[in-house]
């Protein structure tokens, strides 16, 4: 009987240790995700401010904005798309990452995104706030793309005079995000 009790105590202590380790992993993953989202939100707000300063140029020439987006994506490989949508949901400038690098979407291929949840919820926000979408599939021309898991950050863009002129949307690579979070578990197991 004493041996059985001793064995039960050891098993119980091992289970407690495993539970503590798992709890630590979950907490580390939560912190990493929280830090990642805070950096993404800060980027989104900073980029929206840049876009806002260029709204006068944008009505006549979108090339300057496309160059800005290209520079952003050069240093942020986890960004799948960076877009500016008008206040009615029409894409005005869109850059996306492909296997060949970053490319600008031709004007005749820009889409109306007014029906999408991220537009509807993002455009009504106050400037300085960021909409964070659930992790889901990217959708192009009303068709989900199973190979492109994404999370979107969106914030209203205001002109220098304070007028809301549209929405900045950044699509974050969801697979890269999940791999980063899984690495926390792998790191804590070493």
């Amino acid at each position: 009987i004493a041996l059985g009790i001793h064995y039960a105590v050891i098993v119980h202590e091992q289970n407690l240790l495993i539970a503590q380790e798992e709890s630590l992993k979950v907490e580390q993953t939560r912190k990493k995700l929280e830090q990642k989202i805070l950096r993404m939100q800060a980027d989104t707000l900073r980029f929206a401010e840049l876009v806002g300063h260029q709204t006068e140029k944008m009505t006549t020439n979108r090339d300057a904005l496309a160059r800005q987006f290209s520079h952003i994506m050069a240093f942020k490989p986890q960004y799948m798309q960076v877009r500016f949508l008008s206040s009615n949901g029409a894409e005005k400038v869109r850059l996306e990452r492909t296997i060949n690098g970053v490319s600008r979407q031709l004007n005749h291929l820009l889409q109306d995104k007014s029906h999408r949840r991220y537009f509807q919820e993002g455009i009504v926000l106050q400037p300085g706030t960021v909409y964070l979408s659930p992790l889901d599939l990217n959708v192009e021309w009303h068709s989900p793309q199973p190979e492109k898991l994404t999370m979107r950050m969106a914030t209203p863009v205001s002109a220098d005079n304070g007028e809301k002129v549209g929405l900045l949307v950044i699509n974050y690579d969801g697979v890269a995000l999940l791999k980063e979070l899984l690495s926390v578990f792998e790191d804590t197991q070493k």
Side-chain angles (χ1 to χ4, degrees):
I1 294 178
L3 187 59
I5 293 173
H6 179 69
Y7 178 74
V9 168
I10 290 173
V11 168
H12 178 70
E13 287 174 354
Q14 287 177 338
N15 287 340
L16 285 176
L17 184 60
I18 290 169
Q20 288 172 344
E21 288 174 359
E22 291 301 315
S23 179
L24 177 63
K25 289 177 193 178
V26 168
E27 181 60 20
Q28 289 174 331
T29 303
R30 185 194 63 75
K31 284 182 180 178
K32 185 161 186 122
L33 180 60
E34 188 176 276
Q35 291 169 352
K36 177 66 69 183
I37 288 172
L38 288 173
R39 282 194 302 272
M40 291 165 48
Q41 287 175 324
D43 282 353
T44 303
L45 292 171
R46 190 170 47 254
F47 303 150
E49 188 175 333
L50 288 172
V51 173
H53 293 308
Q54 296 186 12
T55 53
E56 287 183 25
K57 289 184 211 172
M58 220 174 10
T59 57
T60 57
N61 183 355
R62 299 176 193 164
D63 293 339
L65 187 56
R67 280 191 298 278
Q68 286 278 8
F69 286 176
S70 181
H71 292 304
I72 290 168
M73 292 183 77
F75 293 100
K76 300 287 185 173
Q78 64 276 29
Y79 291 169
M80 294 170 37
Q81 292 180 357
V82 178
R83 297 173 285 164
F84 174 70
L85 281 63
S86 69
S87 56
N88 66 0
E91 289 181 327
K92 293 298 183 183
V93 177
R94 173 175 151 186
L95 272 77
E96 61 185 281
R97 189 171 308 283
T98 67
I99 58 172
N100 298 321
V102 175
S103 64
R104 180 178 177 185
Q105 191 65 259
L106 299 172
N107 287 343
H108 72 278
L109 295 175
L110 296 174
Q111 302 171 59
D112 174 15
K113 296 294 186 173
S114 62
H115 62 285
R116 297 299 312 273
R117 178 178 171 185
Y118 63 85
F119 175 78
Q120 293 170 354
E121 294 192 24
I123 197 68
V124 297
L125 294 174
Q126 292 298 314
T129 55
V130 178
Y131 168 77
L132 173 65
S133 78
L135 198 57
D136 64 6
L137 297 179
N138 192 48
V139 176
E140 298 300 341
W141 301 103
H142 304 284
S143 179
Q145 299 178 309
E147 72 283 0
K148 291 192 178 178
L149 189 62
T150 189
M151 182 168 49
R152 291 167 204 82
M153 306 289 271
T155 190
V157 173
S158 297
D160 290 332
N161 65 5
E163 176 189 355
K164 194 184 291 186
V165 293
L167 191 72
L168 176 78
V169 181
I170 298 176
N171 286 31
Y172 193 91
D173 183 346
V175 172
L177 178 64
L178 291 176
K179 284 180 181 177
E180 264 187 81
L181 296 177
L182 286 174
S183 73
V184 173
F185 280 96
E186 292 167 0
D187 290 345
T188 58
Q189 290 177 340
K190 293 178 182 177

